[in-house]
Amino acid sequence: MAVSLIGDPIPVTIHPDGLKGLLGVPDAAKGLVIFAHGSGSGRLSPRNNHVARGLREAGLATLLIDLLTPAEEQERANIFDMALLASRLMDATEWADRLPELAALPIGYFGASTGAGAALLAASRADGRIAAVVSRGGRPDLAGSAALALVRAPTLLIVGGRDLPVIDLNRTAQRHLHVENKLVIVPGATHLFEEPGTLDQVIDHAARWFLSHFIQRNGDDRHVSRTSRFS
């Protein structure tokens, strides 16, 4: 069924750190997906915006955020500070929970590259609030084995078939996950999924994973209609 999108994603600011984001909410959204970008990337990432657009067309709200402020980005160590990035992702989750328009929605994380480590670390600390996690070309190992063992959100790991070192890292991370998980290898894709059609395969796998687990979490079919302005 076609989803009616009302306008383009709108800019939002997430406090207390003033993080900048882009929020897109289709009619009757079945859940909210918060993005954790890879090192050196942010809310304007072309690849993640392409994925977010596809997820909205599948009926999912999306929130792309910069997990670091411009000043923090100047310190390269912050880009790989999983604890800091995970804390910012949790701040974004709490922000969404406080909005009446989003509070009823199950929440999932979409982590790309190093952002997957931050997403899984945040999920391990979320006391079951996160309904699903998807990793694209991710480094779930960066969350650490102890955190991976505490993740309660079903986790989908998507890796390019030509991204051999990352395939091995994902398989290692899988051994530490004690929750439903799956590794999907996209044939012919490299780390950034730049090959024609490969990123669309990511969208398809991610949308089905999120929708399946959001429906399980939100069995009463609650939904949100974008009738108010977000700030």
Side-chain angles (χ1 to χ4, degrees), residues 45-201:
S45 160
R47 279 177 289 277
N48 279 347
N49 271 277
H50 181 76
V51 173
R53 188 179 307 111
L55 295 182
R56 290 193 298 274
E57 290 172 355
L60 298 169
T62 60
L63 175 61
L64 296 99
I65 53 174
D66 294 341
L67 296 177
L68 297 173
T69 65
E72 289 169 338
E73 288 177 351
Q74 301 307 309
E75 295 289 337
R76 184 163 176 78
N78 289 332
I79 296 175
F80 299 95
D81 188 336
M82 292 298 112
L84 174 60
L85 299 177
S87 71
R88 297 292 173 75
L89 200 51
M90 296 173 72
D91 288 343
T93 304
E94 293 176 5
W95 175 86
D97 275 338
R98 289 194 296 269
L99 284 179
E101 297 88 350
L102 299 177
L105 295 179
I107 291 178
Y109 290 154
F110 183 96
S113 191
T114 54
L120 285 162
L121 182 56
S124 76
R125 300 174 175 177
D127 296 326
R129 175 67 179 92
I130 305 306
V133 174
V134 173
S135 163
R136 171 184 66 81
R139 291 289 308 279
D141 55 297
L142 294 177
S145 58
L148 290 172
L150 296 175
V151 172
R152 295 294 173 263
T155 300
L156 176 65
L157 308 170
I158 307 173
V159 186
R162 296 165 60 188
D163 196 7
L164 300 181
V166 174
I167 291 175
D168 290 340
L169 291 170
N170 276 253
R171 284 176 171 154
T172 298
Q174 266 192 301
R175 293 198 287 269
H176 298 290
L177 288 169
H178 302 308
V179 69
E180 178 189 354
N181 64 87
K182 182 179 180 181
L183 174 63
V184 170
I185 298 176
V186 177
T190 52
H191 185 64
L192 295 179
F193 291 85
E194 296 175 302
E195 296 73 22
T198 57
L199 203 53
D200 290 329
Q201 292 183 55

Side-chain angles (χ1 to χ4, degrees), residues 216-230:
Q216 292 178 31
R217 177 66 64 93
N218 207 11
D220 59 357
D221 199 32
R222 288 173 291 181
H223 64 272
V224 60
S225 178
R226 182 174 168 182
T227 57
S228 63
R229 298 184 60 168
F230 297 86

Side-chain angles (χ1 to χ4, degrees), residues 9-28:
I10 58 174
V12 296
T13 301
I14 298 167
H15 298 291
D17 297 293
L19 304 178
K20 300 302 181 181
L22 291 172
L23 176 67
V25 185
D27 276 343

